[in-house]
Amino acid sequence: MSTAVRVTLKRLFLFLLLVSTIDGLAPNFDTFCQNAVGHWASAGSSSSSATVSEVMRSCGGAVQGVRETGGGAGVYLNRADDNFAYFDDGSFTTTSDDGSITVCLAHSRDWRRRLDFKVGPDFTLAGAPTIALQRRVPTDSPAPTVDEMDEVEVEVAERGGCFDGDVEVLEQISGKGARPWVFMRVKWTTQLSDPIAIRGEQVHGGCYVGLGDGGRVDVTSIIKLSDEANGLHGGGGAGGGGEVFEARVLRREVHAADASLAGLCLQRQVIRR
C-alpha cells in the first residue's frame, strides 16, 4: 500500500471518528420516542391529558415523527421540521411564524409539563399560557389523583419573581445553530455550565417564562421531589429538613439578525432549600 493511500485512509478514519463523536452527542430521535410516546394523564380533567404515538413514513420503514392527540386539537411533530427540537429525555419544543411556542419538559418519575403560549410583536407574553402537568400511565390505568399531583406540584408564589435556593446542575445539553438555522446541523455539547437563573413571569406555581435580549426565551418547570428521591437526584446537600426540587430549564435563543448565534440549552437542576 502506498504512502499516499495510507495517509488518505488515515484521514478518512479520523473524519469518521469525528463524525461519530459529534453524532453521539446529538439528541437521538429513537430515544426521544421511547420517553415521549404513551398516554399522559392529568388529574381531574381529561382535556389536560394527551396520547403521543409514533408516525411511520408512508412508504414504511423509519418513524417520521410523533402525533399528539387529546386535550383539544392534535399536533404532528415531524423530525425533519427545523421548528421542532427534541431531546433524549422526551422534552421538545416547537415554534410557529405567528409567535406561538409549545414547550414540553420531561421530569423524573414519568412526569412532564406542557406549555402552549404566544409571544407578541413587542416580545411580551400575549394572553395566558395553557399549562398541564401530566404523568405517563398505561392506557387502561386511572389518571394520577389530586393527592399525587399535590405531592409534586409547586403551588406557592415565590418571592421577587424568581425561584432560588442551592442549585446544582446535574445534566445539560446545548447546541449552537448553523446559518441558516437547521436543527439537524446543530453542534451539540454536554459540558455543564452555570445554572440558568429561574426568573421571569410565574405563569403557574411551578412554571416560569422569561423573555430576554436576542430573542431569548427561558421556560422552566419545577416539581417537588420526595425525601427518598433525594439520593437519586444528586444526593448530598445539607442534612434533612429541607425541601428538594427538580427544575428543567429550556433556553431557546433566536437571534433573528444572525442565525449562527441561535441556540438551545436544556438543563436539569436540583434545588435544595
Side-chain angles (χ1 to χ4, degrees):
M1 183 183 297
S2 68
T3 301
V5 172
R6 285 197 298 269
V7 170
T8 300
L9 290 175
K10 183 178 181 180
R11 289 176 177 172
L12 177 60
F13 172 77
L14 292 174
F15 171 76
L16 293 175
L17 181 62
L18 175 63
V19 170
S20 64
T21 302
I22 294 174
D23 288 344
L25 295 177
N28 181 279
F29 191 75
D30 291 336
T31 305
F32 162 76
C33 286
Q34 291 172 13
N35 291 310
V37 168
H39 182 65
W40 296 87
S42 185
S45 174
S46 59
S47 64
S48 297
S49 299
T51 299
V52 180
S53 55
E54 294 179 341
V55 177
M56 307 296 291
R57 288 187 175 138
S58 57
C59 58
V63 176
Q64 182 66 29
V66 295
R67 178 172 283 110
E68 186 173 289
T69 56
V75 59
Y76 171 55
L77 304 171
N78 190 316
R79 63 189 296 180
D81 184 354
D82 286 320
N83 289 324
F84 169 45
Y86 54 85
F87 299 90
D88 287 354
D89 65 0
S91 299
F92 69 86
T93 178
T94 183
T95 61
S96 301
D97 292 338
D98 66 353
S100 298
I101 300 175
T102 295
V103 174
C104 185
L105 294 172
H107 281 283
S108 302
R109 295 179 291 160
D110 276 338
W111 289 97
R112 75 174 194 175
R113 197 186 305 268
R114 194 183 189 286
L115 301 86
D116 292 284
F117 60 97
K118 189 172 183 178
V119 178
D122 57 349
F123 206 62
T124 60
L125 283 178
T130 300
I131 306 169
L133 179 64
Q134 303 164 327
R135 190 173 193 178
R136 184 161 60 172
V137 298
T139 305
D140 56 352
S141 296
T145 65
V146 173
D147 288 342
E148 288 175 316
M149 299 284 284
D150 288 344
E151 288 179 359
V152 299
E153 184 61 282
V154 178
E155 297 179 353
V156 179
E158 297 300 325
R159 56 190 176 278
C162 65
F163 193 95
D164 56 12
D166 295 327
V167 183
E168 180 182 4
V169 178
L170 298 186
E171 297 175 7
Q172 176 175 315
I173 182 168
S174 56
K176 286 295 184 181
R179 183 197 288 268
W181 171 267
V182 179
F183 178 71
M184 299 304 293
R185 297 180 184 172
V186 169
K187 297 179 180 179
W188 297 96
T189 177
T190 55
Q191 182 176 355
L192 302 182
S193 63
D194 293 336
I196 297 174
I198 301 173
R199 55 185 74 245
E201 182 174 345
Q202 188 177 27
V203 295
H204 191 71
C207 190
Y208 291 78
V209 176
L211 306 175
D213 296 337
R216 186 182 76 245
V217 178
D218 291 345
V219 179
T220 302
S221 174
I222 306 168
I223 65 170
K224 293 183 287 188
L225 295 178
S226 59
D227 292 338
E228 60 269 20
N230 189 7
L232 300 176
H233 296 269
E243 296 177 300
V244 183
F245 302 85
E246 179 185 60
R248 302 310 304 260
V249 188
L250 176 70
R251 168 167 287 181
R252 185 163 193 161
E253 297 178 274
V254 179
H255 288 283
D258 188 351
S260 67
L261 298 177
L264 286 167
C265 181
L266 180 67
Q267 281 188 350
R268 180 164 76 98
Q269 304 176 0
V270 163
I271 304 172
R272 299 178 179 86
R273 312 177 75 179

